[in-house]
Every structure is written in C-alpha cells, then in structure tokens.
Amino acid sequence: MKDFLYRLFQGRYGAYGTDRLTKFCLVIAVVLLFVSFLTPLGFLYYVAIAILAYSYFRLFSKNIPFRYRENEIFVKYTNKIADFFRSFGDSWTQKKNYHVYKCPNCGQKIRVPRGKGRIEIRCPKCDNRFLKKS
Ligand SMILES: [Zn+2]
C-alpha cells in the first residue's frame, strides 16, 4: 500500500506533503458541503466539488515549482489578512484603555487614558482647556 502511494505521488506535488493552500481548500470544501446540505444554497455543493477537484489537481500536478509559487502567494495573502485582523484588535484594546475627546474649540482629537477621574485636558493645537471625566 505504501509502495502504491509512493508510485502514485512520485514526481508530483503531493509527494511533498499537503501545503497550506491544500489544507485551506479542504476545510473550505467541507464547510461548503455542510452549508449546501443544511441550507437551500444547494449550488454550494458544486463549488465544494470544484474546490476539491482543484486541490486534487494540485496534489497530482507535476508542475511543482508553479504549485509551490501558488502556495507562497496564498500564504503571503493570508498573512496580510491575519495582520489586518490583528491591527483591528489592537485599535479595540486602545479604545478600551483610552478615551478620545474632541476639543470643543477646534475639533482636535485628544486621547486620554481612562479611569483618571475628572481631569483638565489641554488641547495641543489651540491651547484651549476643558474639563472631562476620563
Ligand atoms: Zn483645540
């Protein structure tokens, strides 16, 4: 059996193991299959089959450098998406720890740490002073 698999994948991309793009395709295909069964969105079944066919095509492809590039582009792209969500989370923690006030005089936004009680805020732009609870 092992011999059979070895011969099957010899010289093909799948011989180097499953890459991130393949794993992602398989997960998406399974999710789409479930969605197509549980909802009226039956056409998703065909999308799932197409994605499965694509990942099998990649596994059995002999154009290894190209498949490798494909995965590299995918990894780069998904890292960008992950970065986006990370920065989104960061700005949320900032919101939790800081209060942003607008200067009533010039509209300049001023970031003040939360939980300091009533404080006097001095606008760095127009030197206007105003009291706020932080
Ligand atoms: Zn101001």
Side-chain angles (χ1 to χ4, degrees):
M1 185 64 194
K2 217 175 169 185
D3 221 47
F4 168 75
L5 280 176
Y6 178 76
R7 250 178 295 141
L8 193 68
F9 281 110
Q10 200 177 22
R12 295 172 196 271
Y13 189 64
Y16 300 89
T18 44
D19 59 15
R20 192 152 145 194
L21 180 54
T22 308
K23 282 176 198 154
F24 179 79
C25 283
L26 293 177
V27 170
I28 292 293
V30 169
V31 170
L32 288 181
L33 276 179
F34 266 106
V35 173
S36 75
F37 288 138
L38 300 173
T39 69
L41 300 166
F43 71 95
L44 287 178
Y45 174 80
Y46 299 101
V47 179
I49 296 300
I51 292 172
L52 276 179
Y54 172 65
S55 42
Y56 274 96
F57 156 75
R58 291 189 73 249
L59 284 178
F60 287 101
S61 170
K62 284 184 170 171
N63 193 349
I64 293 162
F66 191 78
R67 300 280 85 82
Y68 188 78
R69 277 286 299 146
E70 229 172 24
N71 182 58
E72 253 188 347
I73 292 167
F74 173 74
V75 168
K76 218 166 117 186
Y77 187 66
T78 46
N79 282 348
K80 259 187 204 161
I81 295 175
D83 280 349
F84 170 77
F85 280 107
R86 214 168 294 135
S87 68
F88 194 72
D90 281 351
S91 78
W92 195 77
T93 26
Q94 265 207 3
K95 239 183 188 166
K96 232 171 47 178
N97 298 323
Y98 293 93
H99 223 129
V100 177
Y101 290 113
K102 247 186 189 174
C103 169
N105 191 36
C106 70
Q108 167 74 32
K109 278 184 184 164
I110 304 155
R111 209 183 61 170
V112 174
R114 278 182 188 274
K116 299 262 179 211
R118 214 171 152 74
I119 50 166
E120 189 194 56
I121 299 164
R122 191 182 69 86
C123 173
K125 210 171 160 190
C126 68
D127 224 31
N128 175 41
R129 282 160 204 268
F130 57 102
L131 286 169
K132 281 281 181 203
K133 237 182 95 182
S134 76

